[in-house]
């Protein structure tokens, strides 16, 4: 076979010719090679040093400041969000100035609360703080101009607050506004066994349901919380037991309307309360939140028994809003003043020493002087020891905002008149006199000079 080349290699070393550099000569050549350095402008270097890429930010080590407005339901949501963030490693601080991120948990009931919320967002921007928004305002109207580009966590998504905060710290904008559902059925919200940081370590606020069955013409909260969705009794009882094990001595039940509890899942409020009473240890107490008149009427007998239980506070918050049936009709409150009186009279008779709290709206659209005087007479008659007086504010998107408004000066005067009436009476005079008499008898029967 003819050779492929003119010469045949006997060894691999034959590839290197005599003119090629020997291995020991390479080190001398390297000394004459100089790396070319690419110069970076000082502006680029400063920007890179001060603002590292978002992906290089380590979440879970920043300080978070949380501000909550509004009802006890909102406060419970705030406590849950604080607990989850702390469990992940974030430090919850009371000092807004030292915080890296502000979590603002809003209330949409009245204009002043939303104004405070809006101003806090502005202050956060001025202080160059990261911001996450929560609560009813962004849930009800997420497309408002002053919310553009900001992260939002919905009222039923609070169990994902760590995700939202983490992405916001990285420089991203996240919005979670969906509803919790199981097989297409709306749930009460996030799980109740999540970690929590209570503002008062001795009080556990439990939301038994979210939303309501009403469609009040003045209410903006309905736009955020939606229709009624109740938690199962077993989950609520388990949460109460867990809280007592953590050192809590009071359970406060809350929702947009506790009286409507269970109507969507085939149960009712008294059934829940009896189960909770069984779980309350000696020395602990249960306090029931707000209930509207229509849903408590059919349970008056059972409610009286429960409110007489030694481990249940003899307290009930029943908003009347107005003592004028025509105003209540315009509000779409679904009861009349006689219904409210029946509830109050029955409970005052069957539950000795009960405290009834109520709400009044002054200056609702169409309210006449005669309508307001009916409300004044109701307050004068019952002398409510706890009275929440609210000047009417038209909330955007509600039917009441489109009604003929009462002049601002008239609303203010009515609010002032009702406040003066409230401060004119002493609802606990009978108890004070009784205590003073008991003290006098004890001192006079004492063998001691004092």
């Amino acid at each position: 076979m003819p050779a492929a080349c003119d010469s045949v290699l006997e060894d691999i070393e034959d590839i290197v010719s005599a003119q090629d550099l020997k291995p020991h000569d390479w080190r001398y050549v390297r000394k004459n090679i100089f790396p070319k350095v690419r110069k970076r402008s000082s502006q680029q270097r400063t920007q890179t040093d001060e603002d590292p890429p978002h992906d290089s930010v380590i979440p879970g080590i920043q300080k978070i400041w949380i501000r909550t407005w509004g009802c006890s339901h909102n406060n419970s949501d705030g406590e849950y969000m604080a607990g989850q963030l702390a469990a992940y490693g974030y430090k919850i601080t009371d000092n807004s100035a030292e915080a890296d991120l502000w979590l603002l948990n809003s209330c949409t009931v009245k204009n002043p609360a939303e104004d405070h919320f809006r101003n806090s967002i502005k202050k956060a921007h001025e202080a160059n703080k990261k911001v996450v928004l929560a609560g009813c305002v962004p849930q009800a109207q997420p497309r408002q101009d002053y919310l553009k580009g900001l992260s939002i966590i919905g009222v039923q998504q609070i169990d994902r607050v760590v995700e939202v905060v983490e992405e916001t710290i990285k420089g991203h904008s996240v919005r979670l506004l969906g509803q919790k559902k199981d097989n297409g059925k709306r749930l009460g919200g996030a799980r109740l066994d999540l970690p929590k940081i209570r503002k008062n370590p001795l009080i556990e606020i439990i939301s038994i349901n979210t939303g309501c069955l009403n469609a009040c013409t003045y209410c903006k909260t309905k736009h955020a919380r939606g229709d009624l969705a109740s938690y199962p009794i077993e989950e609520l009882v388990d949460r109460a037991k867990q809280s007592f094990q953590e050192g809590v001595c009071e359970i406060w039940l809350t929702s947009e309307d506790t009286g409507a509890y269970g109507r969507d899942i085939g149960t009712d409020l008294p059934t829940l309360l009896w189960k909770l009473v069984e779980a309350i240890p000696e020395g602990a107490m249960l306090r029931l939140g707000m209930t509207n008149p229509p849903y408590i009427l059919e349970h008056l007998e059972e409610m009286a028994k429960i409110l007489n239980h030694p481990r249940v506070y003899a307290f009930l918050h029943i908003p009347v809003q107005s003592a004028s049936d025509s105003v209540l009709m315009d509000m779409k409150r679904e009861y009349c003043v006689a219904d409210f009186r029946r509830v109050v009279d029955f409970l005052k008779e069957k539950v000795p020493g009960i405290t009834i709290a109520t709400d009044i709206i002054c200056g609702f659209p169409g309210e006449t002087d005669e309508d307001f005087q009916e409300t004044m007479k109701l307050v004068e008659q019952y002398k409510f020891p706890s009275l929440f007086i609210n000047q009417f504010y038209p909330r955007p998107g509600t039917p009441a905002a489109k009604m003929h408004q009462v002049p601002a000066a008239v609303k203010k005067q009515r609010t002032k008149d009702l406040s003066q009436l409230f401060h004119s009476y002493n609802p606990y005079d009978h108890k004070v006199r009784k205590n003073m008499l008991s003290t006098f008898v004890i001192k006079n029967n004492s063998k001691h000079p004092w």
Side-chain angles (χ1 to χ4, degrees):
M1 179 180 291
C5 302
D6 294 336
S7 60
V8 178
L9 293 176
E10 299 292 342
D11 194 282
I12 191 68
E13 294 179 357
D14 293 339
I15 296 175
V16 181
S17 67
Q19 289 77 27
D20 289 334
L21 291 173
K22 302 297 185 290
H24 64 274
D25 296 326
W26 279 104
R27 56 184 173 180
Y28 301 107
V29 177
R30 287 196 190 111
K31 292 181 180 180
N32 298 321
I33 298 175
F34 299 97
K36 184 176 181 181
V37 179
R38 175 181 290 180
K39 294 184 177 180
R40 186 174 61 173
S41 67
S42 59
Q43 182 178 358
Q44 287 179 326
R45 183 166 57 251
T46 303
Q47 183 177 0
T48 304
D49 292 341
E50 292 180 354
D51 301 319
H54 295 313
D55 291 340
S56 70
V57 176
I58 303 175
I61 61 173
Q62 290 78 14
K63 295 180 180 179
I64 312 292
W65 179 65
I66 302 176
R67 173 72 191 278
T68 295
W69 294 265
C71 64
S72 55
H73 191 165
N74 230 31
N75 277 276
S76 178
D77 287 351
E79 293 177 351
Y80 271 125
M81 289 189 284
Q84 293 172 84
L85 291 168
Y88 190 74
Y90 291 104
K91 180 180 178 182
I92 308 302
T93 178
D94 293 328
N95 187 345
S96 61
E98 72 174 14
D100 301 292
L101 180 143
W102 290 9
L103 174 55
L104 305 176
N105 189 18
S106 61
C107 171
T108 191
V109 172
K110 294 188 288 187
N111 290 3
E114 184 171 350
D115 291 341
H116 287 304
F117 174 64
R118 186 187 294 107
N119 291 336
S120 293
I121 295 174
K122 182 179 178 182
K123 290 179 181 177
H125 290 323
E126 293 172 349
N128 198 29
K129 305 293 185 181
K130 303 286 187 181
V131 183
V132 171
L133 309 178
C136 291
V137 172
Q139 179 74 52
Q141 289 184 296
R143 293 182 177 86
Q144 293 188 83
D145 288 340
Y146 72 93
L147 304 180
K148 286 183 178 179
L150 299 176
S151 291
I152 296 176
I153 183 163
V155 294
Q156 286 211 319
Q157 299 292 328
I158 60 171
D159 55 334
R160 300 181 66 183
V161 65
V162 171
E163 299 174 48
V164 177
V165 167
E166 181 175 342
E167 292 302 318
T168 303
I169 286 174
K170 290 179 179 180
H172 306 145
S173 177
V174 183
R175 295 195 168 198
L176 300 179
L177 295 166
Q179 304 292 324
K180 297 286 187 190
K181 292 184 179 181
D182 182 20
N183 294 325
K185 183 177 176 59
R186 186 166 176 263
L187 302 176
R191 298 188 344 259
L192 295 177
D193 60 351
L194 296 170
K196 200 174 195 182
I197 296 180
R198 303 179 182 92
K199 290 184 178 179
N200 186 330
L202 302 179
I203 296 175
E204 166 69 2
I205 304 172
I206 302 179
S207 172
I208 62 175
N209 57 264
T210 190
C212 68
L213 294 173
N214 297 335
C216 300
T217 56
Y218 57 83
C219 183
K220 189 73 175 176
T221 305
K222 177 79 172 186
H223 297 188
R225 299 284 181 177
D227 294 326
L228 178 69
S230 304
Y231 283 99
I233 289 179
E234 296 77 14
E235 189 173 354
L236 293 166
V237 173
D238 288 344
R239 179 63 193 184
K241 290 179 179 179
Q242 176 187 343
S243 301
F244 290 129
Q245 291 172 357
E246 293 171 355
V248 163
C249 61
E250 283 190 21
I251 296 289
W252 290 6
L253 302 184
T254 184
S255 77
E256 283 65 56
D257 187 352
T258 59
Y261 170 80
R263 287 174 175 254
D264 58 319
I265 58 174
T267 186
D268 54 40
L269 181 62
T271 302
L272 169 64
L273 294 179
W274 283 124
K275 290 291 185 181
L276 286 171
V277 165
E278 293 175 4
I280 302 174
E282 186 175 354
M285 296 293 291
L286 176 69
R287 179 182 182 270
L288 185 59
M290 186 272 289
T291 174
N292 284 312
Y295 307 112
I296 205 70
L297 273 169
E298 62 189 76
H299 302 304
L300 283 179
E301 290 283 352
E302 284 300 300
M303 289 303 300
K305 294 177 184 177
I306 292 167
L307 292 170
N308 272 307
H309 194 280
R311 289 198 282 274
V312 178
Y313 283 116
F315 169 88
L316 200 59
H317 179 191
I318 316 168
V320 64
Q321 305 300 5
S322 173
S324 165
D325 284 341
S326 63
V327 173
L328 291 175
M329 186 176 297
D330 289 339
M331 291 178 174
K332 288 192 175 180
R333 289 291 289 168
E334 300 184 6
Y335 60 87
C336 60
V337 180
D339 294 331
F340 175 80
R341 290 180 183 273
R342 180 184 166 198
V343 172
V344 175
D345 292 342
F346 184 90
L347 292 177
K348 287 175 73 71
E349 177 186 353
K350 300 294 184 179
V351 186
I354 189 172
T355 296
I356 301 290
T358 195
D359 299 1
I360 302 289
I361 295 177
C362 296
F364 185 81
E367 182 186 62
T368 64
D369 289 337
E370 291 75 18
D371 294 329
F372 179 68
Q373 287 306 314
E374 290 299 317
T375 300
M376 293 283 283
K377 291 176 184 177
L378 183 78
V379 175
E380 176 65 35
Q381 176 187 351
Y382 287 101
K383 293 182 170 56
F384 301 103
S386 180
L387 182 62
F388 300 93
I389 303 170
N390 303 290
Q391 180 179 317
F392 175 76
Y393 290 95
R395 301 297 290 130
T398 61
K402 301 176 183 178
M403 298 178 181
H404 181 70
Q405 303 296 309
V406 173
V410 175
K411 289 192 290 187
K412 289 182 180 179
Q413 186 59 49
R414 289 176 183 173
T415 304
K416 181 179 179 181
D417 292 345
L418 187 57
S419 298
Q420 289 177 341
L421 172 60
F422 174 71
H423 290 293
S424 70
Y425 59 78
N426 296 308
Y428 297 113
D429 264 358
H430 62 290
K431 293 187 177 182
V432 173
R433 285 196 296 269
K434 182 178 179 180
N435 289 339
M436 289 178 65
L437 179 60
S438 299
T439 303
F440 177 77
V441 171
I442 290 172
K443 283 189 174 181
N444 277 276
N445 289 335
S446 174
K447 297 179 181 180
H448 301 285
W450 61 85

